[in-house]
Amino acid sequence: MPTYLCLLTALLLGCASEPEAPAPPAQTPPPTQPPPAPRPGSPLPRLIESARGHLAEGRYAEAIAACEEGLKQDSTAVPLYNLMANAYAADGRYAPAIDALQHVLRLFPTFALAHVNLAGIYTKLGQYADAEDHLKKALAIDPKHAEVHRRLGEVYLGTDRYPEAVEAFAHALARFPEDATLYFYLGQALEGAGREADALNAFSQSVHLDIGFPEALYRLAVLARRLNHAALADSALGRFQHLQAIGKGDPEVPKQMKKLRASILTAPEDPIHHFRLGAFFAQHAYLDEALDKIAKAARLQPPAALLNQMGGLMLNLRRPQDALTYYRQAIDTEPTYMPALVNAANLLSSLQRHAEALPLYQKATQLAPQVPNTWYFLGMGRLAAGDHAESRQALEKALSLCAPDNPLRPQIEAALGAAR
């Protein structure tokens, strides 16, 4: 059995062995249902998707603008208020985020996600009583909501209720058994509860799952030293010092790393935060940590646009096979996402894997038959494969669609010359 499963099983059993208060009388939770769907022909679905995409890629101002445009069309559109609140909160603008979420709950009191998001903001502000109140409401509405137990654990941790925090984080880990952030929080709760050996295991698992986690490494080093595990303490401290040396003496770089890590601690389920930290590590030549974070982001089911960015980052790192993996994942996520189709095809063509590249080029022309670029890429792909006659057909099609002042036109003409 893997280490994290053994630890989690022990923790859950430990929680169950503690005395429990009598259960309250059973109550029927209020019905939970999604907010009303936009009416047919409404522009709201497009704007909701646009706001969601901007938010997923960290473009908070654009996400807010899309939400505001949609709310002019329908001032009762709950999903837009919720997305706007998320964008405000991610940008550190908590007052307008709270206003938006409170508006959501006035319109739709049984929208569990709004309670969860509001609780997250109150926790960050240290308003634990308000946070707990909203989390209990969310739990009553949707007992299986993915984030509730983690956020409850944060509230209990912030109010020194360590046994309750242990139980909450253990329940969260039952749903997300490979989340380094949850193990980090669990380690703090166990340490606070006086269960230092279990805390040591939790911190060890956290840094095993996330090799670039300085806060967890530091706590592991301190606790291991206290428990006379000298080799473990030295190893953790060495890795911590390695991370603190990022930036080669520029004090702003470790501060930036800490800020990026804080975003993960606030919302470990969100792939954009892991991606940003991974890109930061890559920028500073911490390759192992970069690859670890990007892989974590990819496992969190990110949108196609973010997966496409991961592919681009891997190309910059000269790791074409990893790039291709992320481009393919983007296509699997959204089969009509043109940038990933073209990027994957271009990469496959450069690797001389023409049999795999050409179907992707052809799909791009089917999706955008009036766009000259798609035919140009297909023509170049066929040219690279040695299919000169079919290359000329595609390039001539591209030229016929190309305006006289299009900067692509000279490239098409040059390619046609090469294909003759």
Side-chain angles (χ1 to χ4, degrees):
M1 181 181 289
T3 302
Y4 67 83
L5 287 179
C6 294
L7 174 60
L8 182 55
T9 300
L11 290 170
L12 287 169
L13 290 173
C15 294
S17 67
E18 295 171 3
E20 296 183 358
Q27 296 180 359
T28 303
T32 177
Q33 51 185 304
R39 61 184 178 276
S42 167
L44 293 188
R46 174 183 59 82
L47 292 169
I48 290 170
E49 192 59 33
S50 173
R52 189 175 287 121
H54 288 312
L55 183 60
E57 295 177 44
R59 297 192 298 269
Y60 304 128
E62 292 88 340
I64 292 166
C67 292
E68 289 175 338
E69 183 182 347
L71 290 169
K72 290 176 184 176
Q73 305 285 331
D74 183 353
S75 62
T76 66
V78 166
L80 286 170
Y81 279 113
N82 190 63
L83 287 166
M84 186 165 65
N86 286 344
Y88 277 131
D91 202 32
R93 300 164 66 183
Y94 298 123
I98 290 171
D99 286 344
L101 288 167
Q102 288 175 336
H103 197 91
V104 168
L105 292 173
R106 285 194 292 271
L107 290 168
F108 199 71
T110 59
F111 191 26
L113 183 59
H115 285 290
V116 172
N117 288 340
L118 198 50
I121 296 172
Y122 283 137
T123 299
K124 200 168 187 67
L125 296 174
Q127 297 174 223
Y128 296 115
D130 290 328
E132 186 172 358
D133 178 60
H134 282 284
L135 289 170
K136 293 292 178 64
K137 289 176 180 175
L139 202 58
I141 295 167
D142 184 2
K144 295 183 179 180
H145 195 285
E147 294 180 41
V148 172
H149 290 292
R150 171 177 65 81
R151 293 198 181 275
L152 273 173
E154 292 176 42
V155 169
Y156 297 145
L157 196 59
T159 51
D160 299 337
R161 294 147 68 184
Y162 299 118
E164 291 171 272
V166 169
E167 184 173 3
F169 291 129
H171 278 296
L173 276 163
R175 294 182 64 84
F176 301 103
E178 296 189 17
D179 191 296
T181 298
L182 289 175
Y183 273 107
F184 174 65
Y185 282 138
L186 177 61
Q188 293 180 64
L190 288 164
E191 193 172 5
R195 297 168 59 180
E196 291 189 330
D198 288 335
L200 187 75
N201 287 336
F203 288 134
S204 295
Q205 190 60 26
S206 180
V207 301
H208 170 71
L209 292 168
D210 187 340
I211 64 173
F213 198 162
E215 295 87 345
L217 285 164
Y218 182 78
R219 282 185 173 266
L220 176 61
V222 170
L223 185 54
R225 187 78 65 198
R226 189 160 69 238
L227 296 178
N228 296 316
H229 294 287
L232 179 58
D234 290 343
S235 173
L237 185 59
R239 289 169 61 188
F240 171 78
Q241 291 170 338
H242 167 70
L243 289 169
Q244 293 303 108
I246 197 168
K248 299 179 180 179
D250 182 347
E252 294 304 313
V253 176
K255 290 180 183 176
Q256 187 180 359
M257 179 175 65
K258 187 173 183 179
K259 183 177 180 181
L260 291 167
R261 174 61 63 179
S263 296
I264 294 175
L265 290 170
T266 299
E269 305 89 356
D270 194 334
I272 184 63
H273 302 314
H274 297 275
F275 172 74
R276 285 178 165 177
L277 183 54
F280 169 85
F281 280 135
Q283 177 188 352
H284 293 282
Y286 275 57
L287 182 59
D288 290 340
E289 290 82 1
L291 295 175
D292 187 59
K293 278 286 91 189
I294 299 300
K296 172 65 176 179
R299 290 194 297 271
L300 291 172
Q301 299 181 329
L306 187 54
L307 287 160
N308 187 61
Q309 288 185 53
M310 293 178 197
L313 179 58
M314 290 300 107
L315 273 187
N316 289 338
L317 294 173
R318 299 185 179 181
R319 299 180 67 90
Q321 292 303 325
D322 289 333
L324 187 58
T325 295
Y326 293 130
Y327 288 143
R328 288 195 184 282
Q329 189 177 340
I331 295 167
D332 289 342
T333 299
E334 188 178 334
T336 60
Y337 187 67
M338 188 71 74
L341 281 168
V342 172
N343 287 337
N346 286 344
L347 177 53
L348 287 164
S349 184
S350 72
L351 296 172
Q352 304 298 307
R353 294 164 62 177
H354 305 298
E356 296 171 74
L358 289 174
L360 297 178
Y361 284 130
Q362 289 168 332
K363 185 171 183 179
T365 63
Q366 292 165 5
L367 291 170
Q370 300 304 311
V371 176
N373 302 60
T374 61
W375 292 98
Y376 170 70
F377 284 126
L378 175 60
M380 294 302 292
R382 290 200 176 281
L383 184 62
D387 301 330
H388 286 223
E390 293 188 1
S391 172
R392 286 195 298 273
Q393 291 178 8
L395 291 169
E396 286 167 357
K397 177 69 172 179
L399 196 63
S400 71
L401 294 169
C402 212
D405 59 347
N406 191 317
L408 182 63
R409 195 174 184 90
Q411 297 179 51
I412 299 173
E413 291 171 341
L416 270 169
R420 291 193 175 96

